Amino acid sequence: MIPDNDPVRLLNACVEGMDLSELYKTYTRVPKNLATPKQLFKIVVYAAMNGIYSSRKIEVACRQNINYMYLLEGKPAPDNTTIARFISLHLAQCSKELMSESTWLLRRNGLISSEVVFIDGTKIEANANKYTFVWKKAVSKNQARMLEKVAELIAVCEEMYDIRVAYNDRISLGTIKMLVRELDKICQKERVVFVHGSGKRKTDLQRFAEQAGEYLKRMEEYVYKLDVCGDRNSYSKTDHDATFMRMKEDAMLNGQLKPAYNVQHAVDAGFVTWVDVSSHPGDTLTLCPMLADMEKHLHFRYRDIVADAGYESEENYLYLENNGQASYIKPTNYEISRTRKYKTDIGRRENMSYDKETDSYTCRNGKKLNVCGTRRSRTTSGYVNVSTIYRCSECSGCPFKRKCIKGNNCNTPMEERSKVLYVSKTKEEKREENLKRILSDYGTQLRMNHSIQAEGTFAVVKEDMGFRQYLYRGKDNVLAESVLVAIAYNINKLHWKIQSQKSGIRLYELKKTA
């Protein structure tokens, strides 16, 4: 009753060709006379292929749809709890191994190149309350205010009760605990009876002890929140791994931030060969960990890495170079550098002449900008950027000063300001090398394929497959969902390529102009 060219038959054949030993290791015993882990895996992947992600809807489909019955091979339909637990308890433990196995299946059949990979990312909303947010900046500010009050309380207690709480110009959680212990000892020694309610007058010692206990409770709360935040700026109380990000779907048009995950796809020949989930809103910090994870699980290394401007950084350039990989990353200033306004801006370093021997720039007025020092800055990942500072000492009376020096966020009057440039020589050198690669014919072809393949995967996943929000919480469960969607996308893509006889196409050719 099922046609020979139905996608469900292709899915069944692909899963049968995969090694699912890691999935079976998550079970202490495999249930008898019920759906096996392999059959459950087939069911959830086939449901994702058809845009079904709810465990309750999958249960209904298993009872009514003949394709699901074909995958169950006569076993009874699993209930929604079994399906949900399969994803969160078993699939989440081996999602990377399953993604690796699906990629190796594509490689064994010669469907991917294993040489060129296109990387892109998108933000998908988390299953978290968008109003239960915690902002790191607000927590730090409240903590600083509370520590000032703690310092005042310590000073009063030391003067009134002759207690000594040691801290080296910095009050910590241990300092407050020591203060609470000392006040408790005094209360026990003086046999203070704590009173509560209206008409009861509290002693100073009771007020100080209660105040210290409240500060300790708040301090523990602040430390916990900052620990959950880590190097992020925010998190949701209902899903601690979700970070508040600016989404493209903005129904109110007010720039509202929503709890989400930054999902990364590595695409080869139209197939998603790797998936990564990050809690960082920006793409810059996701490239190096993703490539290292790919190499660890796939056991092969891509030669050419193609990405858009969101991945450009000095750290990423050096990582790819040291790893023996060629970067085809569009510079962040690539589009704007082609405009007339950019080319005629006399305040930009690119429009000044550079003397390599003297290591200096010459401005429009013919004045020299010489080296006056260096500046070091550390990124979130811990990488240290070193920038060379160039300063002009003869800016007074320059007729081009207003056009050359811009920005009003300085208290120094314009007459007293001088032109300053911050140049990362390593980054500029690697950017020039990368720019030559992406402007070549091969680089132009890769950039065109990046738009078609990498960005196209998210268009299909979000629009055609209807995957716009996660149903599970926690980074491991979110990664398991992302892997399910990626494998389902690959099966659909393979079915389309087989039916249209385009399974041998890995790169689309540039259109030849007459």
Side-chain angles (χ1 to χ4, degrees), residues 438-457:
I438 68 171
L439 292 178
S440 63
D441 293 340
Y442 178 62
T444 306
Q445 182 187 12
L446 292 183
R447 284 191 289 120
M448 181 198 70
N449 276 270
H450 179 274
S451 301
I452 297 173
Q453 298 190 32
E455 297 176 11
T457 61

Side-chain angles (χ1 to χ4, degrees), residues 7 18 49-50 64 81 107 133 175 189 197-198 228 284 378 403 449:
M18 293 173 59
M49 290 170 61
N50 293 277
Q64 298 177 351
T81 304
R107 193 183 186 199
F133 44 76
T175 306
K189 182 179 180 181
S198 59
V228 173
T284 309
R378 186 182 298 274
K403 293 183 178 180
N449 276 270

Side-chain angles (χ1 to χ4, degrees), residues 146-198:
M146 190 204 67
L147 291 178
E148 293 178 359
K149 296 179 181 179
V150 172
E152 296 175 359
L153 179 62
I154 291 176
V156 172
C157 292
E158 286 180 345
E159 181 179 354
M160 293 183 62
Y161 305 108
D162 194 27
I163 61 176
R164 292 292 178 264
V165 179
Y167 64 95
N168 299 323
D169 298 330
R170 183 178 179 181
I171 300 173
S172 62
L173 185 62
T175 306
I176 305 177
K177 288 181 178 179
M178 188 182 299
L179 175 63
V180 172
R181 286 197 300 267
E182 292 295 330
L183 290 175
D184 286 344
K185 290 179 182 178
I186 297 175
C187 289
Q188 294 176 5
K189 182 179 180 181
E190 298 186 5
R191 299 180 179 179
V192 176
V193 178
F194 281 43
V195 295
H196 303 279
S198 59

Side-chain angles (χ1 to χ4, degrees), residues 27 30-40 43 71-72 75-78 82:
Y27 286 83
V30 178
K32 295 181 179 180
N33 302 323
L34 296 176
T36 63
K38 180 186 289 187
Q39 291 167 342
L40 289 173
I43 288 171
L71 296 174
L72 284 172
K75 296 291 181 64
T82 302

Side-chain angles (χ1 to χ4, degrees), residues 23 26-27 37 40-41 43-45 47-48 52-56 58 79-95 98 467 470-485:
L23 177 61
T26 62
Y27 286 83
L40 289 173
F41 180 63
I43 288 171
V44 294
V45 172
I52 302 175
Y53 306 101
S54 168
S55 59
R56 296 183 184 275
I58 296 175
D79 59 10
N80 65 86
T81 304
T82 302
I83 297 171
R85 287 178 176 174
F86 171 74
I87 295 175
S88 61
L89 298 181
H90 301 284
L91 204 61
Q93 297 184 41
C94 59
S95 56
L98 293 177
F467 187 76
Y470 290 105
L471 296 180
Y472 296 83
R473 296 176 177 176
K475 196 171 183 179
D476 293 338
N477 292 336
V478 165
L479 180 60
E481 277 193 271
S482 300
V483 168
L484 275 180
V485 174

